[in-house]
Amino acid sequence: MADGRSRATRAARTRLSAGERELQILRAATKVFARSNYRVAGTADIALEAGIAEPTIYKYFPSKKALFIRILKRIGERILEIWQDAAAVDSGNSLSALRRMGRVYLENLGTHSDELKIQFQALAESDDPDITRQLRENHKAYVRFFAALIHRGQLQGVVRADVDPYSSGWFLNGFGFTLTLVQLLGFDQRIGKRQIKQMIDAYLDWLAVVGRGEQG
């Protein structure tokens, strides 16, 4: 019976498509890196977590570093997707979109703690130019997205014309770091998140054109 279950398990594994197998490895590696760190975790640990042979990993990723960088890229893409979906609901007003993005990001923090840990872990590997390059690309994409929303708000007449969209983009990106710290360091979530929401609201109120804001 046990041997039969083993054969069935192996058969099920072989039915995974290349895309499904890659995703399986990425998910397993995310868990392993999050509970350890990039330097300590090995591909043998990842293979064990995924329930596959270690050589299988190298069919999809040439090295542990390539796998780690792909995870960082995937994290950046997922964060942008969350923000894009949230902003699309209020596409007619950039300030409303930014406020909604903040709420959605707060709500999603608790469900992606492994990914948040990995982003912070990657900062410790900043001496590695390849890892740094991917982190830089992630944050450049975040800032570009924020800056584009700020600029659109200026064209809509709801955001002050005297602010620099790029600088504001970095300021809002900094809130993301603060939100992550609140989650990872175990601060009281109710109080911490409420205070951060007030900070975001205060900044967005400052950005608003007097008399327009989210009425425009």
Side-chain angles (χ1 to χ4, degrees):
M1 179 67 72
D3 186 56
R5 283 198 299 269
S6 177
R7 286 196 299 270
T9 300
R10 287 195 298 270
R13 288 172 183 165
T14 61
R15 287 197 292 270
L16 290 180
S17 67
E20 291 169 336
R21 181 70 75 197
E22 180 177 337
L23 184 58
Q24 177 194 31
I25 294 169
L26 286 169
R27 286 173 173 167
T30 298
K31 291 180 181 179
V32 171
F33 286 133
R35 67 174 177 245
S36 180
N37 61 60
Y38 170 69
R39 291 180 183 270
V40 173
T43 51
D45 303 311
I46 295 167
L48 182 64
E49 178 69 34
I52 59 176
E54 187 175 359
T56 302
I57 293 174
Y58 293 99
K59 293 180 181 178
Y60 297 87
F61 302 96
S63 65
K64 182 178 78 168
K65 184 167 80 170
L67 175 53
F68 188 73
I69 290 172
R70 179 64 186 90
I71 289 172
L72 287 176
K73 185 173 187 294
R74 184 168 176 255
I75 290 170
E77 292 168 346
R78 186 194 64 77
I79 289 174
L80 276 178
E81 285 174 4
I82 289 173
W83 284 340
Q84 288 165 350
D85 290 345
V89 175
D90 295 298
S91 59
N93 187 298
S94 287
L95 284 176
S96 297
L98 286 166
R99 211 176 296 275
R100 179 178 175 79
M101 285 164 55
R103 291 197 303 269
V104 169
Y105 193 66
L106 276 168
E107 292 166 1
N108 278 271
L109 276 176
T111 59
H112 297 280
S113 59
D114 285 351
E115 295 178 351
L116 298 179
K117 289 177 185 177
I118 289 175
Q119 282 215 115
F120 267 74
Q121 283 181 15
L123 293 173
E125 307 302 327
S126 59
D127 287 339
D128 187 303
D130 298 320
I131 293 176
T132 298
R133 187 177 302 111
Q134 185 58 57
L135 271 178
R136 187 184 300 120
E137 288 303 313
N138 282 8
H139 286 282
K140 282 168 60 177
Y142 304 154
V143 172
R144 282 196 301 266
F145 183 69
F146 285 131
L149 272 177
I150 296 294
H151 180 62
R152 191 176 77 190
Q154 290 173 326
L155 296 178
Q156 292 169 342
V158 297
V159 172
R160 294 167 48 160
D162 61 339
V163 301
D164 175 59
Y166 188 70
S167 298
S168 292
W170 274 109
F171 192 83
L172 291 168
N173 190 53
F175 276 125
F177 265 82
T178 303
L179 291 173
T180 303
L181 284 172
V182 167
Q183 173 67 27
L184 293 182
L185 298 184
F187 288 114
D188 183 287
Q189 297 299 295
R190 183 180 61 83
I191 295 174
K193 288 185 179 181
R194 186 180 71 242
Q195 291 173 334
I196 292 170
K197 181 181 181 300
Q198 290 172 348
M199 291 166 60
I200 295 172
D201 286 343
Y203 184 67
L204 295 181
D205 289 343
W206 177 82
L207 282 177
V209 170
V210 177
R212 291 294 303 279
E214 286 158 87
Q215 305 300 316

